[in-house]
């Protein structure tokens, strides 16, 4: 099967998967408690509860509610966010931008550090640098984010006072326009070094906290794959031909070791998005994760359903991209034959 | 190899220098964020509309700062003081009619809303009528509509309200409440107007008031920013305000210690983390008017109790069992443990700090196992034992109070079992939305009020808010007598006679308790030393702060 056909087939299946996911999301959130939990008070009478249910159409059959919700989603109306007192569609892009920015920064930290450390350790198998890298990697995978994050805050924010908390300095943030919602990009577009530095400075600790855990996974995968590749015949052949060790490593072994690592990197993106919940709460980062956590605790299902639907669809798309990249990197991979 | 290291070394040095020279300069001055008050709040608002806000909810904190009401509560006492009204109505000054039904308010002239429009009696009538017409179930419109029969504009600066019956606490409980805040008629009508039963989306996220602060922006799940209203009719506020929303409680503590926050919302459990911190003051003045209580359900639907509960549905109909629970609770353990010593023992029928509180009234304050055992035996449950669940919200004082109850009851008799169900707030509220409640006990705190009538009506009256839900009529030895005394005290305008009625009620309710009151929680607020003019009044919505009074 041609790559183009494979992609087209996957794209054709995607809408059905999304419909399936939306039904699961809708059902699960309905099972999880009252959709209007945020408006309920332990002091309300049944009539008052009924009045709010009617306001949100919850007095209708569940399948009608689903169709109304799905119709709204298709037209860009994701409902009302009780915890934000605003339409979900108004707030969601702002939260998404904040989270994507954090996930991207963390991803960069994890990607560069992971591949570097993995290569570094793999090329020095069973020597001191390999052991040290293993300790670093195991630490990253083992340290709970809430603990590591609080630790960094205690040292760099509360005690040394050299790192900030939150996403921005409110004054600096207000000094530029935000056409994309990505603070770093908006700062560049506005030509404001002060805002750009403010964005980077605020990203630093949360990105390290989040990226460190993912670094460990990528580094370990990269190291294992590289060790395996370095034992292959083609590596021996390259060395026998007199190719420099650096070239053997970079041009041959590392490229092939990246194939399984790419899969892990794809999954790591999901890990980063999930991980933002803890990191956003600790660092008061105004992103999707913190927003979603608040919606769960306070029973705001309009917000919650949008988040779950979004992440589900995102995973479907990311998986598709990973599969395509994987196939592209390694032609031995069969495309659904 | 050496070259490589030296390159790395140079890069490291350059990077270090870059960071050192370009990092934001942290002020070494004592006061951080001069001109700005940074308050770290516990919770986020779900609306900024006075007509929609639920009492005790985060939006009330912001409404208190941006909107004015006709009257206010003095910062240093429970007394009423004029606000948009120029004087507190009394019978003596002609503001209250002799029959107690008509209240006339003389209004302040020259006041403007934040949008520049002028304030008149029309705005007062519009604000009150609007809340009553919208009548949103999640809000507090009932406070107005239950007692106000009609409103009237006498002239541009005179407003009159007529009540359906005399209400002794009308000024203390209704006029000063957030639902009675005065909004700009022009702003509302230009943005959605008024529709019965439908929230106004503009007002839920925007504010146009006359208060000492103007609303600037609400960055959802991040912060709310307010700026000083330079045209305020009273004394201007000194500091702009940024309210940082939610987040991890430990981070609030860290932020206060670091000086990033000036005030943080705390409870007594924070004291251990803040005691002795440089530059931090722990304010512990007075008591909250929200007693922590465990409710007994006398209206349990048949077969609805959770699996494992062995009690019959009429378990708490027997006053001896309710008394026994009250005697068995280890009050000192709760006060000195979870409350860190900040609080007092008190029946919430008339909390310490409001009219009608009688220091000599009987109060459950000491664990009395002998009396509890006697009562349980008399009630016939001692030998067989029982298992019963108590539902509450997780991760707060309520859950800890339930654990103290569990410990107290289970130590008294190993055959007794208390199952503590600590759930998320939304699940707790959802459980209460199932009426009748399908649990035998629940724990939370009372809503605060400035007058005993609120507590009596809501928490004790057999036909009141909780009396009806929990079937108090099934348990009171003399429900009619309780109702008669509460109703009489509600309309009694003579303070001595009214106090006598509450005194009689307190004694009846001590012997026939419908609640177990763990304690009346003490006020514990933490702020930076550099904050001047710190004052807190528990009669204001939590965290009971008016930012306009502060400076630094």
């Amino acid at each position: 099967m041609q790559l183009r056909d494979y992609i087209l087939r996957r794209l054709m299946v995607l809408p059905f998967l999304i419909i399936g996911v939306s039904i699961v999301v809708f059902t699960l959130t309905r099972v999880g408690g009252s959709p209007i939990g945020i408006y309920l008070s332990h002091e309300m009478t049944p009539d008052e509860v009924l009045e709010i249910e009617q306001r949100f159409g919850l007095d209708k059959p569940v399948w009608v509610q689903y169709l109304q919700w799905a119709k709204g989603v298709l037209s860009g109306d994701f409902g009302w966010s009780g915890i934000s007192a605003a339409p979900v569609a108004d707030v969601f892009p702002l939260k998404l931008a904040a989270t994507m920015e954090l996930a991207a920064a963390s991803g960069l930290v994890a990607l560069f550090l992971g591949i570097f450390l993995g290569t570094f350790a793999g090329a020095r198998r069973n020597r001191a640098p390999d052991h040290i890298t293993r300790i670093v990697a195991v630490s990253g995978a083992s340290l709970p984010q809430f603990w590591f994050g609080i630790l960094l805050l205690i040292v760099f924010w509360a005690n040394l006072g050299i790192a900030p908390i939150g996403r921005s300095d409110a004054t600096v943030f207000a000094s530029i326009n935000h056409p994309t919602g990505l603070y770093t990009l908006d700062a560049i577009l506005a030509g404001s070094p002060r805002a750009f530095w403010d964005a980077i400075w605020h990203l630093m600790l949360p990105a390290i906290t989040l990226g460190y855990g993912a670094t460990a996974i990528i580094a370990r995968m990269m190291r294992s794959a590289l060790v395996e590749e370095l034992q292959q015949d083609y590596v021996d052949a390259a060395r026998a031909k007199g190719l420099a060790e650096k070239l053997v490593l970079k041009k041959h072994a590392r490229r092939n070791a990246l194939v399984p690592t790419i899969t892990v990197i794809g999954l790591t993106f999901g890990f980063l998005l999930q991980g933002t919940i803890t990191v956003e709460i600790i660092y008061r980062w105004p992103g999707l994760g913190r927003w979603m956590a608040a919606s769960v605790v306070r029973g705001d299902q309009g917000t919650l359903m949008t988040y779950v639907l979004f992440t589900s669809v995102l995973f479907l798309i990311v998986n598709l991209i990973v599969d395509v990249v994987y196939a592209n990197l390694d032609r031995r991979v069969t495309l659904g034959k | 190899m050496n070259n490589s290291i030296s390159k790395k070394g140079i890069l490291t040095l350059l990077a270090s220098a870059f960071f050192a020279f370009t990092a934001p300069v942290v002020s070494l001055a004592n006061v951080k964020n001069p001109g700005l008050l940074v308050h770290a709040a516990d919770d986020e608002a779900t609306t900024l509309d006075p007509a929609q806000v639920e009492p005790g909810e985060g939006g009330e904190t912001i409404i208190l700062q941006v909107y004015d009401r006709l009257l206010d509560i003095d910062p240093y006492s429970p007394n009423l003081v004029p606000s948009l009204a120029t004087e507190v109505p009394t019978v003596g000054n002609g503001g209250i009619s002799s029959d107690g039904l008509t209240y006339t308010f003389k209004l302040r002239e020259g006041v403007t809303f934040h949008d520049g429009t002028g304030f008149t009696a029309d705005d007062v009538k519009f604000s009150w009528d609007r809340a009553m017409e919208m009548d949103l179930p999640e809000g507090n419109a009932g406070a107005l509509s239950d007692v106000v029969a009609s409103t009237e504009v006498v002239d541009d600066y005179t407003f009159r309200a007529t009540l359906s019956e005399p209400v002794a606490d009308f000024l203390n409980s209704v006029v000063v409440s957030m639902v009675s805040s005065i909004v700009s008629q022009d702003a509302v009508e230009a943005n959605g107007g008024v529709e019965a039963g439908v929230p106004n989306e503009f007002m839920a996220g925007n504010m146009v008031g006359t208060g000492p602060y103007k609303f600037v922006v609400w960055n959802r799940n991040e912060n709310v920013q307010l700026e000083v209203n330079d045209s305020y009719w009273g004394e201007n506020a000194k500091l702009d305000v940024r309210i940082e929303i939610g987040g991890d409680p430990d981070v609030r503590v860290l932020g206060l210690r670091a000086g990033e926050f000036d005030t943080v919302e705390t409870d007594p459990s924070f004291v251990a983390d803040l005691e002795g911190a440089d530059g931090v003051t722990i304010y512990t003045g007075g008591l909250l008017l929200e007693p922590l209580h465990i409710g007994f359900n006398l209206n349990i639907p048949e077969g609805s109790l959770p699996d494992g509960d062995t009690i019959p549905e009429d378990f708490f109909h027997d006053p001896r069992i309710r008394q026994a629970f009250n005697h068995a609770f280890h009050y000192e353990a709760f006060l000195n443990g979870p409350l860190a010593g900040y609080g007092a023992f008190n029946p919430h029928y008339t909390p310490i700090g409001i009219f009608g509180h009688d220091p000599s009234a009987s109060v459950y304050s000491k664990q009395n196992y002998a009396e509890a055992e006697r009562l349980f035996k008399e009630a016939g449950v001692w030998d067989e034992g029982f298992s019963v669940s108590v539902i509450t919200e997780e991760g707060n004082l309520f859950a800890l109070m339930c654990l103290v109850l569990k410990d107290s009851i289970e130590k008294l008799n190993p055959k007794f079992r208390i199952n503590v169900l600590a759930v998320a707030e939304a699940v707790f509220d959802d459980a209460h939305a199932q009426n009748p409640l399908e649990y035998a006990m629940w724990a939370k705190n009372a809503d605060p009020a400035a007058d005993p009538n609120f507590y009596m009506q809501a928490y004790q009256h057999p036909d009141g808010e909780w009396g009806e839900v929990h079937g108090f009529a099934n348990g009171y030895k003399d429900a009619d007598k309780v109702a008669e005394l509460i109703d009489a005290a509600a309309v009694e305008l003579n303070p001595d006679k009214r106090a006598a009625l509450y005194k009689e009620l307190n004694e009846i309710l001590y012997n026939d308790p419908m609640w177990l009151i763990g304690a009346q929680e003490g006020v514990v607020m933490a702020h930076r030393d550099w904050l001047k003019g710190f004052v807190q009044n528990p009669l204001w919505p939590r965290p009971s702060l008016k930012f306009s009074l502060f400076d630094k």
Side-chain angles (χ1 to χ4, degrees), chain A residues 34 40-44 46 51-52 55 80 83-85 95 157 161 165 197 201 282 284 286 290-291 298-299, chain B residues 22 24 26 43-46 54 138 199 201 220-221 244-246 251 255 260 429-430 432 435 447 465-466:
Chain A
S34 171
L40 297 180
S41 148
H42 69 291
E43 292 160 336
M44 275 185 179
E51 199 178 319
I52 299 179
R55 189 193 300 166
W80 183 258
I83 54 168
S84 294
K95 300 295 169 195
W157 179 56
I165 194 170
W197 177 248
W201 195 238
I282 292 169
R284 305 178 72 87
R290 192 173 152 207
W291 198 43
R298 301 185 68 185
Chain B
T22 56
V26 179
D43 223 344
E44 181 162 32
T46 53
E54 176 193 338
E138 64 268 43
E201 292 189 8
R220 266 66 173 187
N221 212 217
E244 293 286 343
I245 296 165
V251 175
E260 296 292 337
D429 289 342
D430 196 21
H432 274 280
N435 193 359
D447 284 337
E465 189 179 335
W466 286 109

Side-chain angles (χ1 to χ4, degrees), chain A residues 162 197 200-201 204-205 208, chain B residues 11-25:
Chain A
I162 57 173
W197 177 248
I200 297 294
W201 195 238
M204 190 175 58
L205 286 189
I208 290 172
Chain B
L11 281 173
T12 309
L13 276 174
L14 284 172
S16 305
F18 177 70
F19 273 75
F21 286 107
T22 56
V25 178

